[in-house]
Amino acid sequence: MSETKTLSPVGAPAQSGRLTTHVLDTACGKPAQGVAISLFAVEASGARRLLKSARTNGDGRCDAPLLSGAEMVVGAYELVFEVAAYFRAAGVALSDPPFLDVVPIQFGIAEGGAHYHVPLLISPYGYSTYRGS
């Protein structure tokens, strides 16, 4: 019996979706290693449900996608990055309380089969994000 492959409209094999992130320390100009990250599903009621926790590696990335394949469900999500703990561990003097303690990013997944990349560029006093590739 032959194996059937699902094809995309252009004829290439279909790829499963995935969610990835990357944290860069713009104050030091390097990847942010050791940042604790929590991924939540955000319900219609606004309630959050923890899906996964991870920590960035030496390249500022997680060792595996935060979501992939069947886990990639259309809906609202939130990534929470523990940036003050990262800066303290790096020896950066922060105010008490720190200007940025955690950085929450709420976003939506509209296509379960797509790649969603959510980079975070951080410093002790600011951050930015975007949908990367």
Side-chain angles (χ1 to χ4, degrees), residues 45-131:
S45 67
R48 299 180 324 156
R49 181 173 40 92
L50 180 64
L51 298 177
K52 198 170 285 185
S53 295
R55 192 169 292 273
T56 56
N57 61 23
D59 193 34
R61 301 175 188 272
C62 297
D63 289 331
L66 294 168
L67 296 175
S68 63
E71 297 174 317
M72 286 289 292
V73 177
V74 171
Y77 294 86
E78 182 176 46
L79 281 168
V80 177
F81 299 85
E82 296 183 24
V83 299
Y86 160 77
F87 285 117
R88 282 190 188 104
V92 175
L94 300 176
S95 59
D96 187 21
F99 182 71
L100 295 174
D101 187 6
V102 297
V103 172
I105 301 172
Q106 288 196 353
F107 62 97
I109 291 178
E111 300 174 59
H115 179 200
Y116 283 77
H117 183 65
V118 183
L120 177 66
L121 287 67
I122 57 170
S123 78
Y125 296 97
Y127 67 92
S128 67
T129 190
Y130 54 95
R131 180 174 176 190

Side-chain angles (χ1 to χ4, degrees), residues 3-51:
E3 181 181 337
T4 302
K5 292 186 179 184
T6 305
L7 298 179
S8 71
V10 294
Q15 296 179 338
S16 89
R18 66 190 190 280
L19 170 65
T20 57
T21 190
H22 189 193
V23 184
L24 298 171
D25 180 339
T26 58
C28 292
K30 64 179 186 176
Q33 180 177 6
V35 176
I37 301 169
S38 298
L39 173 65
F40 296 89
V42 180
E43 308 296 337
S45 67
R48 299 180 324 156
R49 181 173 40 92
L50 180 64
L51 298 177

